[in-house]
Amino acid sequence: MPQFDPHKYAYPSRRNVVYARRGMACTSVPLGSQIGLEILKAGGNAMDAAVAMAAAMPLLEPTGNGLGSDAFALVWVEKEKKLYGLNASGVAPAAISAHLVRDLGFDQMPKEGWIPTMVPGAPGGWAELNRRFGTKSLPELFAPAISYAREGVPVTVNVSKQWAKDARRLQGAAEKNPAPHAYWQKSFLKEDGSPYQAGDLFQWEEYAQTLEELAATSCESYYRGPLMERIVAFSQETGGYFSQEDFRGYHPEWVEPITADYRGYTVCEIPPNGHGITVLMALNILNGLTLSQERDCADTYHKILEAIKLAFADTKTYVADPQYMKTKTADLLSPEYAAKRRALITGQALTPEAGDPSCGGTIYLCTADREGNMVSYIQSNYTTFGAGVAIPGTGISLQNRGANFSLDEGSDNCLAGGKKSYHTIIPGFLMKDGDAVGPFGVMGAFMQPQGHVQVIVNTIDYHMNPQEALDAPRMQWIGGTQIQLEREVPAHIAQALAAMGHQVEISNSNIDMGRGQIIWRTENGLLAGGTEPRCDGTIAAW
């Protein structure tokens, strides 16, 4: 057999836009997209395809999501010409508080162990999407993932990189506190204690069995049945904070998407507790600025970075569980406030501070069907494998989204029992004159809103096709005046940005600059898709 290195690619490669007429499914792992296409071909709609893909992605990309994840979705229903928002993010256990965590010796939220875990929302989100919009049963939709879990799936190249990196983090956590982490190691490391590598076969019988139970109970077992009891029992045995009441009272919420007009298009996001509002605030600022004719120039990069900085300074200060937010979403999105923030932008990099608006590891997938329905869906552990806590015998690994809580009692986002945390996961959707253009997303923690802004600017200001919009070199603000640029950004742009006062770092890892997917509807009714070159992204088209 030929010998080769799956991580070595000496020559540049190019992907083209993919067109389709009847349906399209896009995500970061090829098998995930194919599962979506199988459902569409079997008569399912875009919502069915999204649920089937979401149920498979914890198996295909466990470094980004799991049965203990949270999820958000934007759902376009063509016959109603309406966009629906689903918030399937969970809440902190009632027994935990900022005071308790500080008393344990922490000055900020940890990322490992039981403290950052929250009631997971993703399984409830699958059931709710299926209940409201599905045409096929959950046993039908979960069948591909169940089959693949039993047969085994090959580990993909970029998933293996993240697997190796995060295994080191969680092995260190297990050495300090073995009890909650021991079963994670048994689930996600090979018998010799090493992480799975590209081309290894990953089989997961426990995952298949749990999906069968979820399918048979419309996911009720997870919140009000035997699976919930197993999660809570393991929590109580190993120092966690969950009670049965935390799960019994949980239900996903349907929410009204928030929007902003950008140069004649409507950009749609999920409202807080997610930070999709960051995208809209940055676009509101850019709306009043003239960008250069050339996308790849220092002036364009500078203006985008400054708008993102100003928006992030506000959202990191004000975004929280909407029940606790003192600042209104409408105030953050007002034209008057955007004008105030825009006025701060000069030819030099600024160090952003929050204004006063009261004055006036994640996976992403998208689907489209022949009826015109579309779904923008995101599901996340937060940091790669999440908290490193797996429930014995279930295939359930828990997210650590609670790590985004503050321990500052004066913050709207301060940790409290029963509260949702600030969330970095955001599905996006683009509309024009009240009709759907299509779903888009760029996953990757705090890169997500920055990726959304760049994709939208690439699409609307620079008329890029969906593949080119994802291929274009990216930038990322990382704090203060510090920015990261991909190596593909021309050197003269990096030098000019440094002269403007930006502290420029060249990123060696493209995977840290976001991983996106796009489906646009064309004027003649076809679907046009783009997929992320920075990961193992694939478009399945019909």
Side-chain angles (χ1 to χ4, degrees):
M1 296 294 290
Q3 299 297 307
F4 59 83
D5 180 354
H7 298 285
K8 180 177 181 291
Y9 299 89
Y11 307 106
S13 180
R14 190 187 77 184
R15 302 181 184 194
N16 293 326
V17 173
V18 174
Y19 288 100
R21 183 169 65 89
R22 294 183 176 180
M24 188 173 283
C26 309
T27 195
S28 49
V29 177
L31 278 177
S33 300
Q34 292 173 30
I35 286 170
L37 188 63
E38 288 172 14
I39 297 297
L40 293 173
K41 285 189 169 183
N45 63 19
M47 298 71 148
D48 294 322
V51 170
M53 293 166 71
M57 289 306 291
L59 169 72
L60 303 177
E61 195 170 341
T63 54
N65 71 134
L67 283 174
S69 284
D70 281 352
F72 291 147
L74 290 168
V75 182
W76 174 261
V77 180
E78 177 66 15
K79 67 180 179 181
E80 301 178 31
K81 296 292 183 182
K82 181 173 174 59
L83 187 68
Y84 291 85
L86 179 65
N87 183 327
S89 63
V91 296
I96 202 166
S97 68
H99 178 75
L100 182 153
V101 175
R102 288 196 304 271
D103 281 353
L104 290 172
F106 295 96
D107 58 6
Q108 61 182 11
M109 286 291 288
K111 290 186 172 68
E112 296 83 31
W114 283 110
I115 290 174
T117 62
M118 303 171 70
V119 175
W126 303 344
E128 187 60 20
L129 275 172
N130 180 252
R131 180 197 68 79
R132 188 161 189 176
F133 298 117
T135 65
K136 291 185 172 292
S137 68
L138 287 182
E140 290 177 282
L141 299 180
F142 290 178
I146 291 167
S147 176
Y148 279 124
R150 291 202 163 110
E151 296 172 4
V153 294
V155 175
T156 57
V157 173
N158 283 295
V159 168
S160 72
K161 293 177 184 177
Q162 294 173 298
W163 209 310
K165 181 179 179 180
D166 213 46
R168 292 192 291 272
R169 172 180 72 96
L170 292 174
Q171 284 172 312
E175 291 172 3
K176 297 176 184 176
N177 186 13
H181 297 291
Y183 206 77
W184 180 89
Q185 293 179 295
K186 183 176 180 180
S187 298
F188 294 107
L189 299 179
K190 294 190 284 190
E191 289 186 4
D192 63 2
S194 65
Y196 284 81
Q197 299 178 357
D200 285 343
L201 196 67
F202 179 51
Q203 292 177 281
W204 206 2
E205 174 61 29
E206 293 170 347
Y207 190 81
Q209 292 176 5
T210 293
L211 279 186
E212 288 173 333
E213 182 167 348
L214 291 173
T217 64
S218 293
C219 298
E220 279 294 294
S221 178
Y222 200 104
Y223 300 97
R224 289 161 281 276
L227 283 173
M228 174 273 289
E229 292 169 1
R230 295 178 74 168
I231 297 169
V232 172
F234 186 64
S235 171
Q236 294 176 349
E237 290 167 9
T238 57
Y241 302 91
F242 285 133
S243 70
Q244 292 192 10
E245 288 70 28
D246 293 326
F247 283 78
R248 288 192 179 120
Y250 177 75
H251 297 277
E253 300 174 83
W254 291 100
V255 296
E256 189 66 28
I258 54 175
T259 65
D261 176 83
Y262 186 69
R263 310 199 199 283
Y265 287 80
T266 303
V267 183
C268 311
E269 300 279 351
I270 289 282
N273 56 316
H275 68 177
I277 192 172
T278 312
V279 180
L280 306 184
M281 293 173 68
L283 291 174
N284 280 345
I285 293 169
L286 288 171
N287 236 341
L289 298 175
T290 300
L291 298 182
S292 300
Q293 290 186 348
E294 295 296 324
R295 190 265 189 191
D296 289 314
C297 69
D299 179 70
T300 298
Y301 278 60
H302 173 72
K303 287 174 179 173
I304 292 173
L305 286 164
E306 295 302 282
I308 286 170
K309 280 191 213 176
L310 289 165
F312 247 137
D314 285 327
T315 55
K316 283 188 169 185
T317 301
Y318 299 118
V319 167
D321 185 324
Q323 297 182 69
Y324 294 81
M325 281 179 62
K326 301 182 186 74
T327 303
K328 295 179 181 179
T329 297
D331 290 340
L332 290 167
L333 290 176
S334 74
E336 294 79 14
Y337 188 58
K340 288 182 181 179
R341 301 300 268 165
R342 188 184 305 120
L344 299 175
I345 296 177
T346 68
Q348 287 292 305
L350 58 83
T351 301
E353 296 179 357
D356 183 8
S358 60
C359 294
T362 302
I363 66 94
Y364 175 78
L365 61 91
C366 52
T367 60
D369 64 30
R370 56 184 163 184
E371 303 300 326
N373 303 307
M374 295 174 160
V375 178
S376 183
Y377 182 95
I378 199 158
Q379 186 166 282
S380 174
N381 285 338
Y382 182 44
T383 56
T384 316
F385 278 107
V389 176
I391 311 303
T394 67
I396 297 171
S397 59
L398 297 176
Q399 38 89 331
N400 59 346
R401 301 229 59 103
N404 274 327
F405 275 120
S406 169
L407 297 180
D408 177 1
E409 298 285 356
S411 168
D412 293 356
N413 188 42
C414 183
L415 172 64
K419 186 175 181 179
K420 294 179 182 290
S421 71
Y422 177 112
H423 260 53
T424 59
I425 56 176
I426 52 172
F429 202 89
L430 187 63
M431 297 172 61
K432 175 75 169 171
D433 300 328
D435 209 348
V437 175
F440 70 97
V442 180
M443 56 181 164
F446 290 91
M447 179 62 198
Q448 291 189 48
Q450 305 191 57
H452 280 216
V453 170
Q454 291 171 59
V455 161
I456 290 297
V457 168
N458 291 347
T459 299
I460 296 173
D461 290 280
Y462 296 106
H463 309 291
M464 294 187 188
N465 67 56
Q467 188 58 55
E468 186 184 18
L470 291 170
D471 290 345
R474 291 188 188 142
M475 67 200 93
Q476 180 173 195
W477 172 68
I478 56 176
T481 58
Q482 294 176 289
I483 63 168
Q484 287 181 336
L485 303 177
E486 289 190 299
R487 286 201 172 277
E488 290 77 10
V489 174
H492 72 273
I493 293 178
Q495 292 166 353
L497 289 170
M500 293 176 172
H502 297 278
Q503 297 180 57
V504 178
E505 173 186 320
I506 305 301
S507 175
N508 288 312
S509 174
N510 293 76
I511 202 167
D512 294 331
M513 300 299 280
R515 291 159 287 148
Q517 313 290 333
I518 297 172
I519 300 175
W520 297 148
R521 183 188 293 165
T522 65
E523 289 185 1
N524 64 352
L526 295 181
L527 301 169
T531 188
E532 183 58 69
R534 296 165 186 81
C535 64
D536 303 298
T538 299
I539 299 170
W542 182 28

